[in-house]
Amino acid sequence: MKKIIMIGALTFFTITGCQKQAVNQSASLEDFYVQSLDKDVKEISLEDSKKALKEFEYEYELQTYSKEEKESYKETFGEEPKVSDFSSNTFIYADKNEVEILYNETNKEVSSISYTENIEDTSKKMVKMGNSCNISISTDNVESQREIMKRLNLSQGTSDFVNLYFDLVNSMKTNPKIKIDDIVNLLKLDYKKREDNYFDEILSIYTFENQDDGVYIDVEVKDDKIMSAKLNLGMNEKINYTIYMVTTNKDFNLQIYIMENLNANPTDKSKEDKKIIKIYLTLYIMKAK
């Protein structure tokens, strides 16, 4: 069962443990989110965060599980459900930017903090949860995504491969009727072909791979039509984040998903260097317009 309350300014507080830390009051939601990256989310005080963001529009949503829902789960799976009640505490600026604090009402702990930014044709969302930071960006502006990837300090070979992907995406955008033969000629790379039954749809998957860095592009084809192109870059000894991009050929849209491990470091670095890595994606990715 969900309960939703919307108010223009903050009027109530949730009691949290005295050991919780405050994120300092900030002039912007983005600054508030950046400050949260230096803290364990479980140690952030929801009450103090509400006070710091009291000038913003506030939305509260409670997600609870009824006795009947829990009993139904037990009957179906033969065990008690391991679920908690959660509340979503969202602070909004001008219907464009927002910070959401997800709060575990059972454990009385903050579970995650996210920041969303909507500018013209691009939507960006970052989520800090546990030891990872996840970013999702959706846009039809290919060049803005290319600029984002330039900021990740990839190896030259990986960068060249990623640029091939963007060349492919541009071709899909300008020519919705592009064929797989056109893509093969564009990429000029060896590929493997396989068939996949995806939700009862038979798709031909063409995989183009960069052997050195383990980066690959999957192009999905159905009835000689390009359905999507996906780029995958996995975490390795050179970088401490995972990248996934997908472009659909229907209602053209390019999406990028990045996950950064905030504890892992590809090389032995100083404490200050580690701090830079920890906030790297916020300061550089989110600033890319």
Side-chain angles (χ1 to χ4, degrees):
M1 180 178 64
K2 295 182 179 180
K3 300 177 182 178
I4 302 176
I5 302 173
M6 294 186 65
I7 54 180
L10 186 63
T11 58
F12 79 94
F13 304 100
T14 301
I15 298 176
T16 58
C18 60
Q19 77 279 11
K20 304 297 184 182
Q21 306 171 31
V23 175
N24 295 333
Q25 187 165 358
S26 170
S28 77
L29 294 174
E30 181 182 3
D31 289 342
F32 179 90
Y33 178 80
V34 171
Q35 291 175 35
S36 75
L37 291 178
D38 266 342
K39 303 177 184 296
D40 186 326
V41 291
K42 292 183 179 180
E43 299 306 318
I44 291 177
S45 165
L46 177 60
E47 178 181 356
D48 289 336
S49 297
K50 288 177 178 179
K51 291 178 181 178
L53 298 173
K54 64 182 179 180
E55 300 302 322
F56 296 96
E57 180 183 349
Y58 175 69
E59 178 180 343
Y60 171 81
E61 180 177 342
L62 179 64
Q63 173 69 64
T64 62
Y65 297 89
S66 67
K67 181 179 178 181
E68 290 75 16
E69 288 174 320
K70 293 178 180 178
E71 289 178 348
S72 175
Y73 182 96
K74 185 176 180 180
E75 290 177 2
T76 302
F77 299 99
E79 61 181 9
E80 296 287 345
K82 298 178 181 178
V83 296
S84 300
D85 293 339
F86 283 89
S87 66
S88 170
N89 301 268
T90 307
F91 305 87
I92 305 167
Y93 174 71
D95 292 329
K96 292 183 177 181
N97 303 340
E98 67 179 46
V99 162
E100 180 186 25
I101 301 176
L102 191 64
Y103 187 71
N104 187 319
E105 297 285 350
T106 303
N107 298 334
K108 303 302 179 185
E109 293 178 339
V110 172
S111 297
S112 68
I113 296 181
S114 66
Y115 171 68
T116 302
E117 179 179 277
N118 297 296
I119 300 177
E120 296 179 351
D121 57 359
T122 300
S123 175
K124 303 177 183 179
K125 182 175 182 178
M126 299 186 67
V127 183
K128 167 73 183 301
M129 180 174 61
N131 295 322
S132 67
C133 182
N134 302 296
I135 300 177
S136 60
I137 304 172
S138 177
T139 185
D140 62 2
N141 187 332
V142 179
E143 292 310 308
S144 71
Q145 298 289 58
R146 196 191 294 265
E147 177 63 25
I148 286 170
M149 295 303 293
K150 288 180 181 179
R151 296 167 178 259
L152 293 182
N153 196 29
L154 301 174
S155 69
Q156 186 61 54
T158 301
S159 295
D160 291 343
F161 193 83
V162 170
N163 281 327
L164 279 178
Y165 176 77
F166 285 122
D167 291 343
L168 164 58
V169 169
N170 266 325
S171 296
M172 290 174 59
K173 184 176 182 179
T174 57
N175 180 17
K177 296 182 179 181
I178 190 171
K179 304 295 184 182
I180 186 62
D181 288 343
D182 300 322
I183 292 175
V184 170
N185 292 331
L186 172 68
L187 298 180
K188 294 182 173 60
L189 296 170
D190 293 334
Y191 63 88
K192 296 179 181 178
K193 179 185 176 183
R194 70 181 190 278
E195 302 296 323
D196 193 8
N197 189 336
Y198 187 74
F199 290 114
D200 294 328
E201 289 186 329
I202 303 300
L203 297 177
S204 297
I205 314 295
Y206 293 76
T207 300
F208 304 83
E209 187 173 6
N210 180 341
Q211 297 289 344
D212 294 335
D213 293 333
V215 190
Y216 63 92
I217 297 170
D218 277 343
V219 179
E220 297 181 342
V221 182
K222 178 186 177 184
D223 298 331
D224 204 32
K225 295 180 180 179
I226 305 300
M227 305 301 293
S228 68
K230 304 174 183 178
L231 181 140
N232 290 268
L233 191 158
M235 195 176 298
N236 56 48
E237 68 279 1
K238 297 180 181 179
I239 58 173
N240 66 328
Y241 34 81
T242 300
I243 300 168
Y244 173 73
M245 282 188 277
V246 58
T247 305
T248 55
N249 208 20
K250 181 180 180 181
D251 300 325
F252 180 86
N253 187 262
L254 174 59
Q255 297 179 336
I256 178 172
Y257 305 92
I258 305 173
M259 182 181 73
E260 182 184 30
N261 187 331
L262 299 181
N263 284 343
N265 291 286
T267 59
D268 185 18
K269 294 181 177 292
S270 68
K271 182 178 180 180
E272 185 62 27
D273 285 339
K274 291 179 180 179
K275 182 177 180 181
I276 292 173
I277 290 175
K278 190 172 183 179
I279 63 175
Y280 186 85
L281 293 178
T282 293
L283 298 181
Y284 291 92
I285 301 298
M286 295 297 285
K287 291 298 183 183
K289 304 302 182 184

